[in-house]
Amino acid sequence: MIIVLKPTATQEEIDELENEFLERGFQVDRSEGESHTLLGLIGDTKSVDSSPLRSKHYVERVVRVNQPFKKASRYFHPKDSKIKINDDTVVGEGTISLIAGPCSIESEDQIISIAEDVKKAGATMLRGGAFKPRTSPYSFQGMQTNGLELMLLAKEKTGLPIVTEIMDLSQLPMFEDVDVIQVGARNCQNFTLLKELGRTQKPILLKRGMSQNIKELLMSAEYIMAGGNNNVILCERGIRTFETLTRNTLDLSAIPVLKKHTHLPIIIDPSHATGLSELVEPMTLAAIAAGADGIMVEVHNNPEAALCDGEQAIKPEEFAQIVDKARKYAELSHKTI
Amino acid sequence: MIIVLKPTATQEEIDELENEFLERGFQVDRSEGESHTLLGLIGDTKSVDSSPLRSKHYVERVVRVNQPFKKASRYFHPKDSKIKINDDTVVGEGTISLIAGPCSIESEDQIISIAEDVKKAGATMLRGGAFKPRTSPYSFQGMQTNGLELMLLAKEKTGLPIVTEIMDLSQLPMFEDVDVIQVGARNCQNFTLLKELGRTQKPILLKRGMSQNIKELLMSAEYIMAGGNNNVILCERGIRTFETLTRNTLDLSAIPVLKKHTHLPIIIDPSHATGLSELVEPMTLAAIAAGADGIMVEVHNNPEAALCDGEQAIKPEEFAQIVDKARKYAELSHKTI
Amino acid sequence: MIIVLKPTATQEEIDELENEFLERGFQVDRSEGESHTLLGLIGDTKSVDSSPLRSKHYVERVVRVNQPFKKASRYFHPKDSKIKINDDTVVGEGTISLIAGPCSIESEDQIISIAEDVKKAGATMLRGGAFKPRTSPYSFQGMQTNGLELMLLAKEKTGLPIVTEIMDLSQLPMFEDVDVIQVGARNCQNFTLLKELGRTQKPILLKRGMSQNIKELLMSAEYIMAGGNNNVILCERGIRTFETLTRNTLDLSAIPVLKKHTHLPIIIDPSHATGLSELVEPMTLAAIAAGADGIMVEVHNNPEAALCDGEQAIKPEEFAQIVDKARKYAELSHKTI
Amino acid sequence: MIIVLKPTATQEEIDELENEFLERGFQVDRSEGESHTLLGLIGDTKSVDSSPLRSKHYVERVVRVNQPFKKASRYFHPKDSKIKINDDTVVGEGTISLIAGPCSIESEDQIISIAEDVKKAGATMLRGGAFKPRTSPYSFQGMQTNGLELMLLAKEKTGLPIVTEIMDLSQLPMFEDVDVIQVGARNCQNFTLLKELGRTQKPILLKRGMSQNIKELLMSAEYIMAGGNNNVILCERGIRTFETLTRNTLDLSAIPVLKKHTHLPIIIDPSHATGLSELVEPMTLAAIAAGADGIMVEVHNNPEAALCDGEQAIKPEEFAQIVDKARKYAELSHKTI
């Protein structure tokens, strides 16, 4: 629960309110903004009645976030966050990150070739799945540990930082040299995993769940941040709706809404959102126009033979063309690729 | 059309069904799988209703290969349509239409003032509601006939073509001098109205229903076109999802999907889609980047006193700024405003 | 906006509040309940700030119904409504209505035969569509006026009251001898039509729209009731979700939720909701168990040859079996069929 | 599997694709339609990934004829499964299981008292959460290991088999004496966890995800069964829709749909589905009427002080009344409680 006090609130009034909650056993987090002071109540605020609070003349608003995010909130951290990936790479801070690579790592040749291609085209990070969450147990489940090793090899050869998905916390020790750990849409509320990732300092790419609303996405980020890891990158990848011509419905309005509520950077994944390779270009450009901090795209050197999600992958030469266009849109947004 | 028969279907049942379609003049292609037999119908299956078929106890599924829309389909009309509004104005054909104006017409002063402002800012058409579909019978229902007259006055004074919503076919005679007749989301499957509009030659701005999928939207367009009126402009205005921070979820991926299936132009309404004035700019720019043929925006000279939907309206000066930015995005798409 | 006053509120306090709003130009509707007094504000309450109201010690709750239903609300009408159809038939009041018949009227033989069959099986009303809202303009659009005449003939022959759908207000004069006028899901927010129906005294069967939430359904009922026609029967017929194995998702929890908020009777249509004939029985029984006031079912003497929605129609003998089972469930709910 | 080729596909492309599948050992059935050519693959297509196929530029659509689930499918196992819990308790086989208990275990007194109460009222299993997946990291996260021990104590004292949720596979060793392991909605596609549970022989209560469609639920069951554990109980607990008056929308039509496609038993959780205690009774009775094999209900001795989800919990005496009514509905379905 966040209590937003009026600019006219006196020091005495704020102290009084703070003491009231300290006595009731809450921890109180005080934050002085430029115009407003905020009190963040930590503890079980479910029993706190917000209406008497709201009737106090010096209180402006009570934000009853039944699922209250604090560390992810722009209230407490008005400036945009930038997430440092390595000495050369940052997410946020006026850059458009371009994360590209195959859905699954399939062989050394495949991942090295794609890595080199996307680097040349302008990608800033390499993506690739070693552990694959597939709807069917009979589908290819990824190269697992071997895949992870090939991913690290590709990093070594190209210098690109790598992003790859963790499916269970037991895999965490293997991710030591991974630059960004991806939490997939299906694990967006695997709270045990999120908590554990909160104990690391690794950048986490947190994908929005298929039916997760924006507040809940921020609560999932909060799980990681509550543990002390502020390096969270949000990723919108389509939500589930009644429309069937696209695999999911890409929610681009989530970008400005998230920008309003949080300081964390936001990446868009047009490949998984739409499931259609021909939609990757228009949705990439639209995402940049809407204010995204980056794009994550599936690129495959041979989509027709891909072991997974071929219909949404684009070829390296298509990726290069998209990057060329994207640069111009980034410029209009005063951002750099 | 492919008919998938159940594994339990008897030879006699399959023969009977095959004969039924042979007699109706179709060619039937029979394929015996490991568990299922399939019958493929060859011929014009548009008139074959799949539901009685599905009710046969030995039929498992009916799969339609051809889309049931024809006049709206790009198959039959590969070139983009342009809709002529008047001698100076066209929708489609490399232009970005900018339709702006208040949610409701409230007075002569209001509509004339807004019309002049949006014209100066670059709007190509004026929007404004005379008949308002409000969820509550106790809300302001629009100025009705008087509003329509004021709208025509604004057209006369500014030269801007006007777009306004029809709510019932009994109102049609009053729309003679209206340039574009809008069919609202709530009337998207008011088939009696759509048929009647198909008998006119008026340009129709057809809004997608809140839970209408893209195929159904094209079927609604088909209702108008089947009557002989090809002047249909589609409008995406947000679909209903579980997300509550925006009023609806703007489905920008509908733009390239529609472009693939139809030759009709597509306009985006970011105001109704999001319900939030601060989202109008990013969603306008994103829509243009995604390939939209235009934008329809709510502009009000005094949003805080608006009789309807003030929270999503922007001021004329904000509209002017958006148009300035939009021009640059239009340029990148090789379109003109 | 409805202001719920505490049981302890004094007469003076209530008068004071009422005067405050009268002076502000609102019309105030006062309603004394058994324990609570309610004030209903009529006018544009959008500008009324509810929080100072809520801080008054004698106010229990402020129901900010942006779309405020009053006449449909149980607050103002605590007792269940019963809707009189004719001298023998009533909807509500401890009865389970059984409305059965074909999707479309196809011929005299068909409708008379089905009417006689369902009457024998226990149906209390006959349904049948003359004007059909079909997604495709190329599908059978109903027998129109001729269909309506056949429906009236079936009424005459069997004595069953009839329910049939109106698609446009221009058809209203033809509905004089129709007992219950159905407003379909696609017209649930055709406010012009709803208003016009509010000027009659005909019982209206109002279907919930595919993406209409429960509050909006009640607002649509309110449109009819605001005009003076209180004879509204609500009908849940499935909402649109991401699930594709059923045509829509039947929302049976809407029954107790509606019972809480409104006094109007609630009918369930398992045929359209599920689109599958084999689901009609379990969903009928479940609806009765959940507290529905009746069921509307598609019955066809030859579903495989039906011109519309055959896969969801059941045969008269299946209907008879369902009625037999339904009687036992009705009994458990202390209702009669 | 049917591959629908685009009208523009060349003879060479079609031949190439046909040969590819012939070489992979499939029989290929070719059918030339008026506009489209179709290829029907005959053989075990379960391992054929459709997505690379869809990425070929000359492929329009890929239609799967067979369901991709096998062990969960009724095709391969026509008889209803019964899941043995202990010597006295079975799920399925004409019984209605009544699983009751608190959302969270809060203390020894609490869980023992509730366990005794629900047993007396007729519950066949005790539920209670030790590890709690809460949207907020600041909410009560369950008593964890201590809670599990109290749950085992309650089992010992009452003889009731227990159901409790696992949140991560690292917790599995602690679940040795737990009778039924629950996989929550948020972990419904935690495939690593599902696979591991497939290596045990423990009965698993698998909850449907909030946006999981029925086929995907069966695929999640298939993950467990593919490992050799056939003891899977499905649980419908509401899906996420646009309706906000209930927490989720309980999909009771899933019961007969699941019964058609699978032999596994189905339990309904009306408490989580609706989030409203007053809906537990009508939805319980409706679920039994629709064919459910059991009910899982939250019961708390003091809902107003519950540490979690108090608003949906019912009191033990209310539970006893519901059981009394439920017995009569079970009887009508020829089942026993």
Side-chain angles (χ1 to χ4, degrees):
Chain A
M1 182 177 272
I2 303 164
I3 306 169
V4 182
L5 300 167
K6 287 190 183 160
T8 53
T10 65
Q11 213 47 40
E12 276 169 20
E13 287 164 344
I14 301 172
D15 290 347
E16 189 194 72
L17 191 61
E18 182 168 346
N19 285 330
E20 183 189 323
F21 282 102
L22 288 171
E23 278 166 26
R24 286 168 70 179
F26 291 93
Q27 196 182 323
V28 183
D29 216 53
R30 187 162 174 166
S31 160
E32 315 265 356
E34 281 211 328
S35 51
H36 297 77
T37 296
L38 312 181
L39 296 184
L41 302 194
I42 299 166
D44 185 9
T45 56
K46 209 158 25 69
S47 59
V48 178
D49 194 345
S50 58
S51 78
L53 264 177
R54 260 179 272 149
S55 74
K56 286 184 198 281
H57 67 92
Y58 53 85
V59 170
E60 184 166 304
R61 258 202 315 161
V62 178
V63 187
R64 159 71 81 184
V65 249
N66 234 352
Q67 309 101 354
F69 44 97
K70 294 185 190 83
K71 297 208 162 184
S73 169
R74 207 178 261 284
Y75 271 122
F76 293 94
H77 188 304
K79 251 188 76 183
D80 280 355
S81 279
K82 60 172 176 176
I83 312 296
K84 197 186 163 183
I85 308 301
N86 66 17
D87 287 347
D88 303 320
T89 314
V90 78
V91 174
E93 206 182 37
T95 66
I96 299 286
S97 299
L98 294 174
I99 309 172
C103 177
S104 307
I105 301 148
E106 297 170 14
S107 71
E108 183 175 332
D109 279 4
Q110 177 241 24
I111 188 66
I112 302 296
S113 154
I114 295 175
E116 287 170 346
D117 284 349
V118 300
K119 190 187 179 182
K120 221 173 69 186
T124 54
M125 285 193 249
L126 176 69
R127 57 149 291 155
F131 302 97
K132 295 301 306 172
R134 304 301 301 279
T135 307
S136 165
Y138 308 120
S139 300
F140 174 59
Q141 306 278 312
M143 287 183 73
Q144 315 272 331
T145 319
N146 291 339
L148 207 50
E149 277 163 19
L150 294 179
M151 199 67 184
L152 292 167
L153 188 66
K155 173 185 175 176
E156 202 187 299
K157 290 220 174 174
T158 61
L160 284 176
I162 57 173
V163 184
T164 193
E165 181 168 352
I166 194 167
M167 280 182 64
D168 187 78
L169 60 85
S170 61
Q171 298 160 351
L172 192 53
M174 293 186 255
F175 279 67
E176 208 170 309
D177 296 323
V178 168
D179 300 280
V180 178
I181 302 180
Q182 177 179 322
V183 175
R186 287 169 186 80
N187 272 319
C188 68
Q189 294 192 317
N190 181 337
F191 299 123
T192 315
L193 177 61
L194 297 178
K195 276 184 193 170
E196 198 65 30
L197 294 173
R199 293 193 190 100
T200 74
Q201 285 302 314
K202 281 276 180 214
I204 308 298
L205 185 95
L206 177 64
K207 287 198 152 190
R208 181 181 181 183
M210 261 187 291
S211 62
Q212 198 177 28
N213 65 36
I214 290 173
K215 279 190 191 165
E216 290 166 346
L217 171 61
L218 290 174
M219 289 315 299
S220 288
E222 190 81 14
Y223 258 97
I224 299 169
M225 298 173 87
N229 183 356
N230 292 319
N231 301 307
V232 179
I233 303 160
L234 303 173
C235 181
E236 154 64 28
R237 41 77 72 212
I239 56 173
R240 186 156 265 192
T241 69
F242 58 82
E243 180 56 62
T244 56
L245 289 184
T246 45
R247 191 155 65 169
N248 295 284
T249 296
L250 181 60
D251 179 11
L252 288 181
S253 56
I255 301 169
V257 172
L258 280 166
K259 288 286 173 198
K260 185 175 158 188
H261 290 290
T262 187
H263 51 89
L264 298 172
I266 299 127
I267 298 282
I268 297 297
D269 177 347
S271 309
H272 281 86
T274 65
L276 297 166
S277 59
E278 72 262 35
L279 265 65
V280 171
E281 181 180 310
M283 291 301 103
T284 291
L285 305 180
I288 295 173
D293 296 296
I295 295 295
M296 181 145 103
V297 183
E298 285 195 9
V299 177
H300 198 284
N301 47 4
N302 186 5
E304 300 177 14
L307 295 179
C308 143
D309 284 350
E311 82 278 25
Q312 69 197 34
I314 55 174
K315 292 183 186 165
E317 53 271 29
E318 295 170 307
F319 177 64
Q321 285 165 15
I322 293 175
V323 174
D324 281 350
K325 292 195 184 174
R327 263 183 233 287
K328 295 175 191 156
Y329 285 83
E331 228 167 82
L332 288 188
S333 308
H334 309 293
K335 290 186 180 167
T336 56
I337 287 190
Chain B
M1 184 177 269
I2 302 162
I3 305 169
V4 181
L5 300 167
K6 286 190 181 158
T8 54
T10 66
Q11 213 47 40
E12 277 168 20
E13 288 163 343
I14 301 173
D15 290 347
E16 190 193 70
L17 191 60
E18 183 168 344
N19 285 329
E20 183 189 322
F21 281 101
L22 289 172
E23 280 166 25
R24 287 170 70 178
F26 291 93
Q27 194 183 323
V28 182
D29 215 58
R30 189 164 173 164
S31 159
E32 315 266 357
E34 284 211 323
S35 51
H36 297 77
T37 296
L38 312 182
L39 296 183
L41 302 194
I42 298 168
D44 184 10
T45 55
K46 202 152 40 66
S47 60
V48 178
D49 198 341
S50 58
S51 86
L53 268 175
R54 264 178 268 146
S55 78
K56 290 185 196 282
H57 65 92
Y58 53 85
V59 169
E60 188 167 300
R61 248 188 334 151
V62 178
V63 181
R64 229 178 233 293
V65 176
N66 289 307
Q67 304 285 23
F69 45 93
K70 200 171 176 177
K71 298 208 160 184
S73 169
R74 205 179 264 283
Y75 270 124
F76 297 91
H77 188 303
K79 250 188 77 183
D80 280 354
S81 279
K82 60 172 174 174
I83 312 296
K84 196 184 162 186
I85 308 301
N86 65 17
D87 287 346
D88 303 320
T89 314
V90 77
V91 174
E93 206 183 39
T95 65
I96 299 285
S97 300
L98 294 174
I99 309 172
C103 178
S104 308
I105 301 148
E106 296 170 14
S107 70
E108 184 177 331
D109 279 3
Q110 177 240 24
I111 188 67
I112 302 296
S113 152
I114 295 175
E116 287 170 345
D117 284 349
V118 299
K119 191 189 178 181
K120 221 173 70 187
T124 54
M125 284 191 250
L126 176 68
R127 59 150 290 157
F131 301 97
K132 296 299 308 170
R134 304 300 301 279
T135 307
S136 166
Y138 308 120
S139 299
F140 174 56
Q141 306 277 313
M143 285 183 75
Q144 315 273 332
T145 318
N146 291 339
L148 208 50
E149 276 162 21
L150 294 179
M151 198 68 183
L152 291 167
L153 188 66
K155 173 185 174 176
E156 201 187 299
K157 291 217 174 178
T158 60
L160 285 176
I162 58 172
V163 184
T164 192
E165 181 167 354
I166 193 168
M167 279 181 65
D168 187 79
L169 60 84
S170 61
Q171 297 159 351
L172 191 52
M174 293 185 253
F175 279 67
E176 209 169 307
D177 296 322
V178 169
D179 301 279
V180 178
I181 303 180
Q182 176 179 323
V183 176
R186 287 168 187 80
N187 272 318
C188 67
Q189 295 193 316
N190 181 337
F191 300 123
T192 314
L193 177 62
L194 297 179
K195 276 185 193 172
E196 198 64 30
L197 294 174
R199 292 193 192 100
T200 73
Q201 286 301 317
K202 281 277 179 210
I204 308 296
L205 184 95
L206 177 63
K207 288 198 150 189
R208 181 182 184 184
M210 263 189 289
S211 63
Q212 200 178 26
N213 66 35
I214 290 172
K215 279 188 191 165
E216 290 166 345
L217 171 61
L218 289 174
M219 289 313 300
S220 288
E222 191 80 13
Y223 257 97
I224 298 169
M225 298 173 87
N229 183 356
N230 292 321
N231 300 309
V232 178
I233 303 160
L234 304 173
C235 180
E236 153 68 25
R237 42 75 74 213
I239 56 173
R240 185 157 266 192
T241 70
F242 59 81
E243 179 58 61
T244 54
L245 289 185
T246 45
R247 191 157 64 171
N248 295 284
T249 296
L250 181 60
D251 179 10
L252 287 181
S253 56
I255 301 170
V257 171
L258 281 166
K259 287 284 174 200
K260 184 176 161 188
H261 290 289
T262 188
H263 50 89
L264 298 172
I266 299 127
I267 299 281
I268 298 297
D269 177 346
S271 308
H272 282 87
T274 64
L276 298 166
S277 59
E278 71 261 37
L279 265 64
V280 172
E281 180 180 311
M283 291 302 103
T284 291
L285 305 180
I288 295 173
D293 296 296
I295 295 294
M296 181 145 102
V297 183
E298 284 193 11
V299 177
H300 198 285
N301 47 4
N302 187 5
E304 289 150 39
L307 294 180
C308 147
D309 285 349
E311 78 279 24
Q312 71 198 33
I314 56 174
K315 292 182 187 166
E317 54 269 29
E318 294 170 308
F319 177 64
Q321 286 165 15
I322 292 175
V323 174
D324 282 348
K325 293 193 184 176
R327 263 184 232 285
K328 295 175 189 156
Y329 285 83
E331 228 169 84
L332 287 188
S333 309
H334 309 294
K335 289 184 181 168
T336 54
I337 287 190
Chain C
M1 182 178 269
I2 303 163
I3 306 170
V4 183
L5 300 167
K6 288 189 181 159
T8 53
T10 65
Q11 213 49 38
E12 277 169 20
E13 287 164 342
I14 300 172
D15 290 348
E16 188 193 73
L17 191 62
E18 184 168 344
N19 285 329
E20 183 188 323
F21 282 102
L22 288 172
E23 279 166 25
R24 286 170 69 180
F26 291 93
Q27 197 181 323
V28 183
D29 217 53
R30 189 163 171 165
S31 159
E32 315 266 355
E34 282 212 326
S35 52
H36 297 77
T37 296
L38 311 182
L39 296 184
L41 303 194
I42 299 167
D44 186 10
T45 56
K46 207 157 27 70
S47 59
V48 178
D49 195 344
S50 58
S51 77
L53 264 177
R54 260 179 273 148
S55 75
K56 288 185 198 282
H57 67 94
Y58 53 85
V59 170
E60 184 167 303
R61 258 199 318 158
V62 179
V63 186
R64 158 71 81 183
V65 247
N66 236 349
Q67 308 102 351
F69 44 97
K70 294 185 190 80
K71 297 208 162 180
S73 169
R74 205 178 264 283
Y75 271 124
F76 293 93
H77 188 303
K79 250 189 77 183
D80 279 354
S81 278
K82 60 171 175 174
I83 312 295
K84 195 185 165 184
I85 309 301
N86 66 18
D87 287 347
D88 303 320
T89 314
V90 79
V91 174
E93 205 181 40
T95 66
I96 299 285
S97 299
L98 294 174
I99 309 172
C103 178
S104 308
I105 301 147
E106 297 170 13
S107 71
E108 183 175 331
D109 279 4
Q110 177 239 24
I111 188 66
I112 302 296
S113 153
I114 296 175
E116 286 170 346
D117 284 350
V118 300
K119 190 187 178 181
K120 220 173 71 187
T124 53
M125 284 191 252
L126 176 68
R127 56 150 291 156
F131 302 96
K132 296 299 306 171
R134 305 300 302 277
T135 307
S136 166
Y138 308 119
S139 299
F140 175 59
Q141 306 279 314
M143 286 183 76
Q144 315 274 332
T145 319
N146 291 339
L148 208 49
E149 277 162 21
L150 295 178
M151 199 67 186
L152 291 168
L153 188 66
K155 173 184 174 175
E156 202 188 298
K157 289 219 174 177
T158 60
L160 284 176
I162 58 172
V163 184
T164 193
E165 181 168 351
I166 193 168
M167 278 181 65
D168 187 78
L169 59 85
S170 61
Q171 299 159 350
L172 191 52
M174 294 185 254
F175 279 67
E176 209 170 307
D177 296 322
V178 168
D179 301 280
V180 178
I181 302 180
Q182 178 179 323
V183 175
R186 287 168 187 80
N187 273 319
C188 67
Q189 294 193 316
N190 182 337
F191 300 123
T192 315
L193 177 60
L194 298 178
K195 277 183 194 171
E196 198 63 31
L197 295 174
R199 293 195 190 97
T200 74
Q201 286 301 314
K202 282 276 178 210
I204 308 297
L205 184 93
L206 177 64
K207 288 197 152 190
R208 181 182 182 184
M210 261 188 291
S211 62
Q212 198 177 28
N213 65 36
I214 290 173
K215 279 188 192 166
E216 290 167 344
L217 171 60
L218 290 174
M219 289 314 300
S220 289
E222 190 80 14
Y223 257 97
I224 300 169
M225 299 173 86
N229 183 356
N230 292 320
N231 299 309
V232 179
I233 303 160
L234 304 173
C235 181
E236 153 67 25
R237 42 76 73 213
I239 56 173
R240 185 156 264 192
T241 70
F242 59 82
E243 180 58 61
T244 56
L245 289 185
T246 45
R247 192 157 65 171
N248 295 284
T249 296
L250 181 60
D251 179 11
L252 288 181
S253 55
I255 302 169
V257 172
L258 280 167
K259 288 284 175 200
K260 185 175 158 188
H261 290 289
T262 188
H263 51 89
L264 298 171
I266 298 128
I267 298 282
I268 297 297
D269 177 346
S271 308
H272 282 87
T274 65
L276 298 166
S277 59
E278 71 261 38
L279 265 63
V280 172
E281 180 179 311
M283 291 301 104
T284 292
L285 305 180
I288 296 173
D293 297 295
I295 295 295
M296 179 145 103
V297 184
E298 284 194 11
V299 177
H300 198 284
N301 47 4
N302 186 5
E304 299 176 16
L307 294 179
C308 148
D309 285 351
E311 82 276 25
Q312 70 198 34
I314 55 174
K315 293 183 185 164
E317 54 270 30
E318 295 170 307
F319 177 64
Q321 286 165 16
I322 292 174
V323 174
D324 281 350
K325 292 195 183 173
R327 265 184 231 285
K328 295 175 190 155
Y329 285 84
E331 225 168 86
L332 287 189
S333 308
H334 309 294
K335 289 185 180 167
T336 54
I337 288 192
Chain D
M1 186 177 270
I2 302 163
I3 305 170
V4 182
L5 300 167
K6 286 188 182 160
T8 54
T10 66
Q11 214 46 42
E12 277 169 20
E13 288 164 342
I14 302 174
D15 291 348
E16 191 193 71
L17 191 62
E18 183 168 345
N19 285 329
E20 185 188 321
F21 281 102
L22 288 172
E23 280 166 25
R24 287 170 71 176
F26 290 94
Q27 194 182 324
V28 182
D29 215 54
R30 189 162 170 166
S31 160
E32 315 265 358
E34 284 211 322
S35 51
H36 298 76
T37 297
L38 312 181
L39 296 183
L41 302 194
I42 298 166
D44 184 9
T45 55
K46 202 153 40 65
S47 61
V48 178
D49 198 338
S50 58
S51 88
L53 267 174
R54 263 178 271 144
S55 78
K56 289 185 198 281
H57 66 93
Y58 53 87
V59 169
E60 187 166 303
R61 253 192 328 154
V62 178
V63 181
R64 232 179 230 294
V65 176
N66 289 307
Q67 303 285 23
F69 45 91
K70 200 170 176 174
K71 297 207 162 184
S73 170
R74 204 178 264 284
Y75 270 124
F76 296 92
H77 187 303
K79 250 187 76 182
D80 279 355
S81 278
K82 61 172 174 175
I83 312 297
K84 195 185 165 185
I85 308 300
N86 66 17
D87 288 347
D88 303 321
T89 314
V90 78
V91 174
E93 207 182 37
T95 66
I96 300 286
S97 299
L98 294 173
I99 310 172
C103 178
S104 309
I105 302 146
E106 296 169 15
S107 70
E108 183 175 333
D109 278 5
Q110 177 240 27
I111 188 67
I112 301 296
S113 151
I114 295 175
E116 287 170 345
D117 284 348
V118 298
K119 189 186 180 180
K120 221 173 69 187
T124 54
M125 284 192 251
L126 176 68
R127 60 150 289 158
F131 302 96
K132 295 300 306 171
R134 305 300 302 277
T135 307
S136 165
Y138 310 119
S139 298
F140 174 57
Q141 305 278 314
M143 285 184 76
Q144 314 274 331
T145 318
N146 292 340
L148 207 50
E149 277 163 19
L150 294 179
M151 198 69 184
L152 291 167
L153 188 66
K155 173 185 175 175
E156 202 187 298
K157 290 221 174 173
T158 60
L160 284 176
I162 58 172
V163 184
T164 192
E165 181 167 353
I166 193 168
M167 279 181 64
D168 186 79
L169 60 84
S170 61
Q171 298 159 351
L172 191 53
M174 294 185 253
F175 279 67
E176 210 170 305
D177 296 322
V178 169
D179 300 280
V180 178
I181 302 180
Q182 177 180 323
V183 175
R186 287 168 187 79
N187 272 319
C188 67
Q189 294 194 315
N190 181 338
F191 299 123
T192 315
L193 176 61
L194 297 179
K195 277 184 192 171
E196 198 64 32
L197 295 173
R199 294 194 189 97
T200 74
Q201 286 301 316
K202 280 277 178 211
I204 308 297
L205 185 95
L206 176 64
K207 288 198 152 189
R208 181 182 183 183
M210 262 187 291
S211 63
Q212 200 178 27
N213 66 35
I214 290 172
K215 279 189 191 165
E216 290 167 345
L217 171 61
L218 289 173
M219 290 312 299
S220 288
E222 191 80 15
Y223 257 97
I224 299 169
M225 298 173 86
N229 183 356
N230 292 320
N231 300 309
V232 178
I233 303 160
L234 303 173
C235 180
E236 154 66 26
R237 42 76 73 211
I239 57 174
R240 185 158 267 192
T241 70
F242 59 83
E243 180 58 61
T244 55
L245 289 184
T246 45
R247 192 156 65 171
N248 295 284
T249 296
L250 182 61
D251 179 10
L252 288 180
S253 56
I255 300 169
V257 172
L258 280 166
K259 287 285 174 200
K260 184 176 161 188
H261 290 289
T262 189
H263 51 89
L264 298 172
I266 299 126
I267 298 282
I268 298 297
D269 176 347
S271 308
H272 280 87
T274 65
L276 298 167
S277 59
E278 71 263 36
L279 265 65
V280 171
E281 180 180 310
M283 291 301 103
T284 291
L285 304 180
I288 295 172
D293 297 294
I295 294 295
M296 180 144 104
V297 184
E298 284 195 10
V299 177
H300 198 285
N301 46 5
N302 186 5
E304 289 151 39
L307 293 180
C308 149
D309 284 349
E311 78 279 22
Q312 70 197 34
I314 55 173
K315 293 183 186 166
E317 54 271 28
E318 294 170 307
F319 177 65
Q321 285 165 17
I322 292 175
V323 174
D324 282 349
K325 293 193 183 175
R327 263 184 232 285
K328 295 175 190 155
Y329 285 83
E331 228 168 84
L332 287 188
S333 308
H334 309 293
K335 289 184 181 168
T336 54
I337 288 191

